[in-house]
Amino acid sequence: MMGMILQTCVLLFWVDLGLSVTHPGKGGDGCGFIITSQWVDLVKVVVNLTKSGFHRDLVYIVQFGAPFPEDLQVLLLQNITRGVYMDFYQLQSLRKDTGLHVLLDSEVDLEAPAYESPGFTALVYPRPNPTNLGHLTTTVPIHGRYHRPSDPGTREKVAIKHPKLLLKSDTCEHGKPLLSSLPHKIVYAPCSVDNVSICSWIEVENLQVPQSMALDLPVGDKSLIFTVCGGTLFITILCNLILTATIWKHAIFEFS
Amino acid sequence: MWFAGNKGSLYFRKGSSTMGLLVHKALSQLMRTHVLLSFALVMRLLLVGFGIYQDRTMTVKYTDIDYHVFTDASRYVTQGESPYNRSTYRYTPLLAWILTPNIYLTFVFGKLLFVACDVLTGLLIQRLLLLRGLSAESSCLYSALWLLNPLPAGVSSRGNAESLLAALVLGTLLCLERRWLFSGAVLYGLAVHMKIYPVTYALPIALYLQTREQGAGTPGGKRSWTLWGFVRRVLNRDLLMFAFISGGLFCGLTLVFYHIYGWDFLHETYLYHLTRRDIRHNFSPYFYMLYLTAEREWSLVLGLASFLPQVSLLLLSSLAFHTDLSLCCFLNTAIFVTFNKVCTSQYFLWYLCLLPLVIPHLTLSLKKGVGVLALWFAAQALWLAPAYYLEFEGQDTFVLIWLAGLLFLIINTYIMVTIISHYRRIAIPNRPKTD
């Protein structure tokens, strides 16, 4: 399973085509819908970081303020820094329970500290919100990693970058691309969680980027290193001596 | 009110009320082996059923995360792949193989197996207590400490595999007490293959077998303190047979799985646990020290040095108490867990399954016994509170967790000291001959 994910997601790569095609209006080779700057101005990608501590939720809300094709599909590319991780197996379980659709581009170590972990990219496929038409939402759990001990009172801020918004429309495939009148990039990425063959997506740029978010994680106090080592060794040796004396006192040494 | 008398007998304080008599009668019925076992099994099956309901309907799941790990690993096995493709699977492939009916039959197969082993553990405790001279009623009462205990019932019904180990360890002890050395050796070899910690019983078992061979304490027994005499005592037929079978089984399984799964098997099943340096918070007194020194050059030395208190105590305890194997295994497990570099709450079950064998021989008053138990729970609560605030609230409580870990070590030491100093040694009656 992991192998499959690696094979498919490693294929994710960027191709910068700049201003590739523009086909204003309906008909022609296009699918009949053009991404314009006015349309983009009304698109919002809101990301909220909920809960506290090491186990948090990233709540994504994609809002389209203007009409869009019915079969428009959305992919959020979320770069994850080394300070946090997503648990592939938790995502699998949530996929069954809540229909969460997320792919990871590499195998993620669930136990390593931040300084021994590489970052990775998550491909989040938000789904329509049945209670709010025109909105797509999804909630993805992330977890903080342990960080290098630091000076007293210091905490580690792990910034969560804003995701990139990619769009595609099935009816716009095979030479009939979803069009943009703006400078844009074509990104090749898995079509969906269920269909991991590669599709071409349009990255919507110039989105309004809200304030960045960060996890604020506690770290060990390195100034205490000798106190902690001394205290730990003192107590363990003391307990060892007490137990040794007790065992010796009540021992039943029979060897023949 | 129930309490245990000095001889492990059960008494009912005479209240002479009708209600009291009814309760007495009901509990007397419950203290029959088959009733107790049936009650324990039904209780666990209900918990498994509730688990299915909770998993389907609630956000917080009943099933242990480890159970999903086992099942994922089994799925890889059924697909002809290595169970170690499932990250964090750090067990023998045998477990993944045993649990393949989770894929082929039903997801709850493993839970039912663990629940069965859990109840079997209670039965083995009861049989061992009978062998150790307790009455039928008392042996049921003390085995009820396991069978009616919500902790092991919850753990096995959530899908944690610890009950498999508990059954293997208690099965080994029962076979040794009955002198069924072949069966004991097979169970012991399997137990060490499944988890490393029963290896701490190797020395007590070896000493136990050589002591028994010589008929310790018999009037006609001659003591030979020469080197030849010592070697002859240690290398007796029973010990060699036990070592050959258990060692052979362990090595055979290791070779077979190494042949199939290669380095992954050795690393994930054994080496990972030996070299494990988990810097994330856990019950171990060493956790904060290992976290702060993780990247220091001398951290390796510190890690090795932390083995010393554990190893020295295991050695001494084995030499001191090997004649009473149940007590010795209990103490060795408690020492191993308490002084380990990593300790999580599931490790507590490793020694809790042996506790009912020790309790009947304690001369503690009920009040003090309950006090010691309360202290053990209080120490865990004191650790859990700052751990919760760190993990779920993001507060810097590292120092508090470290101090609570040290306090837990002190309290565990106090409990072990109390048990050792209040333990009344028993003469095990009618020791059978080797099979």
Coordinates of all heavy atoms in Angstrom, one line a residue, chain A residues 1-3, chain B residues 73-85 96-97 260-261:
Chain A
M1 N 0.8 -1.2 0.0 CA 0.0 0.0 0.0 C 0.9 1.3 0.0 O 0.7 2.2 -0.8 CB -0.9 0.0 1.2 CG -2.1 0.8 1.1 SD -3.2 0.6 2.5 CE -3.5 -1.1 2.5
M2 N 1.9 1.2 1.0 CA 2.8 2.4 1.0 C 3.6 2.5 -0.3 O 3.8 3.6 -0.8 CB 3.7 2.2 2.2 CG 4.7 3.4 2.4 SD 3.9 4.9 2.7 CE 3.6 4.8 4.4
G3 N 3.9 1.3 -0.8 CA 4.7 1.3 -2.1 C 3.9 1.9 -3.2 O 4.4 2.7 -3.9
Chain B
A73 N -0.6 -5.5 9.4 CA 0.5 -6.4 9.1 C 0.0 -7.7 8.6 O 0.6 -8.3 7.7 CB 1.3 -6.6 10.4
S74 N -1.1 -8.2 9.2 CA -1.7 -9.5 8.7 C -2.1 -9.3 7.2 O -2.0 -10.3 6.4 CB -2.9 -9.8 9.5 OG -2.5 -10.1 10.8
R75 N -2.6 -8.2 6.9 CA -3.1 -8.0 5.5 C -1.9 -8.1 4.6 O -2.0 -8.7 3.5 CB -3.8 -6.6 5.4 CG -4.4 -6.4 4.0 CD -5.3 -5.1 4.0 NE -6.4 -5.2 4.9 CZ -6.6 -4.5 6.0 NH1 -5.7 -3.6 6.3 NH2 -7.6 -4.6 6.7
Y76 N -0.8 -7.5 5.0 CA 0.4 -7.6 4.1 C 0.8 -9.1 4.0 O 1.2 -9.5 2.9 CB 1.6 -6.8 4.7 CG 1.5 -5.4 4.5 CD1 1.5 -4.5 5.6 CD2 1.5 -4.8 3.2 CE1 1.4 -3.1 5.3 CE2 1.5 -3.5 3.0 CZ 1.4 -2.6 4.0 OH 1.4 -1.3 3.8
V77 N 0.7 -9.8 5.1 CA 1.1 -11.3 5.0 C 0.2 -12.0 4.0 O 0.6 -12.8 3.2 CB 0.9 -11.9 6.4 CG1 1.0 -13.4 6.4 CG2 2.1 -11.4 7.3
T78 N -1.1 -11.7 4.1 CA -2.1 -12.4 3.2 C -1.8 -12.0 1.7 O -2.2 -12.7 0.8 CB -3.5 -12.0 3.5 OG1 -3.7 -10.6 3.4 CG2 -3.9 -12.5 4.9
Q79 N -1.1 -10.9 1.5 CA -0.8 -10.4 0.1 C 0.6 -10.9 -0.3 O 1.1 -10.5 -1.3 CB -0.9 -8.9 0.0 CG -2.3 -8.3 0.2 CD -2.3 -6.8 0.5 OE1 -1.2 -6.2 0.8 NE2 -3.5 -6.3 0.5
G80 N 1.2 -11.8 0.6 CA 2.5 -12.3 0.3 C 3.6 -11.4 0.6 O 4.7 -11.6 0.1
E81 N 3.3 -10.3 1.3 CA 4.4 -9.3 1.6 C 4.8 -9.4 3.0 O 4.3 -10.1 3.8 CB 3.8 -7.9 1.3 CG 3.6 -7.7 -0.2 CD 3.1 -6.2 -0.4 OE1 3.7 -5.3 0.1 OE2 2.0 -6.1 -1.1
S82 N 5.8 -8.6 3.4 CA 6.4 -8.6 4.7 C 5.5 -7.8 5.7 O 5.0 -6.7 5.3 CB 7.8 -8.0 4.7 OG 8.1 -7.7 6.0
P83 N 5.2 -8.4 6.9 CA 4.4 -7.6 7.9 C 5.1 -6.3 8.3 O 4.5 -5.4 8.7 CB 4.3 -8.5 9.0 CG 5.4 -9.5 8.9 CD 5.6 -9.6 7.5
Y84 N 6.4 -6.2 8.0 CA 7.2 -5.0 8.4 C 7.0 -3.9 7.4 O 7.6 -2.8 7.6 CB 8.7 -5.4 8.6 CG 8.8 -6.4 9.7 CD1 9.1 -7.7 9.4 CD2 8.6 -6.1 11.0 CE1 9.2 -8.7 10.3 CE2 8.7 -7.1 12.0 CZ 9.0 -8.4 11.7 OH 9.1 -9.3 12.6
N85 N 6.3 -4.1 6.3 CA 5.9 -3.0 5.5 C 5.0 -2.1 6.2 O 4.8 -0.9 5.9 CB 5.1 -3.5 4.2 CG 6.0 -4.2 3.2 OD1 7.2 -4.2 3.4 ND2 5.5 -4.8 2.2
A96 N 1.4 -11.8 13.2 CA 0.7 -11.4 12.0 C 0.1 -12.6 11.3 O -1.0 -12.6 10.8 CB 1.6 -10.6 11.1
W97 N 0.9 -13.7 11.4 CA 0.4 -14.9 10.8 C -0.9 -15.4 11.5 O -1.9 -15.8 10.9 CB 1.4 -16.0 10.8 CG 2.6 -15.8 9.8 CD1 2.9 -14.7 9.1 CD2 3.5 -16.8 9.5 NE1 4.0 -14.9 8.4 CE2 4.4 -16.2 8.5 CE3 3.8 -18.1 9.8 CZ2 5.5 -16.8 8.0 CZ3 4.9 -18.8 9.2 CH2 5.7 -18.2 8.3
I260 N 13.0 -15.6 5.9 CA 11.9 -15.1 5.1 C 11.9 -13.6 5.0 O 11.7 -13.0 3.9 CB 10.5 -15.5 5.7 CG1 10.4 -17.1 5.8 CG2 9.3 -15.0 4.9 CD1 9.2 -17.6 6.5
Y261 N 12.1 -12.9 6.1 CA 12.0 -11.5 6.2 C 13.3 -10.7 6.3 O 13.2 -9.4 6.3 CB 11.0 -11.1 7.3 CG 9.6 -11.7 7.1 CD1 9.1 -12.6 8.0 CD2 8.8 -11.3 6.0 CE1 7.9 -13.2 7.8 CE2 7.6 -11.9 5.8 CZ 7.1 -12.9 6.7 OH 5.9 -13.4 6.5

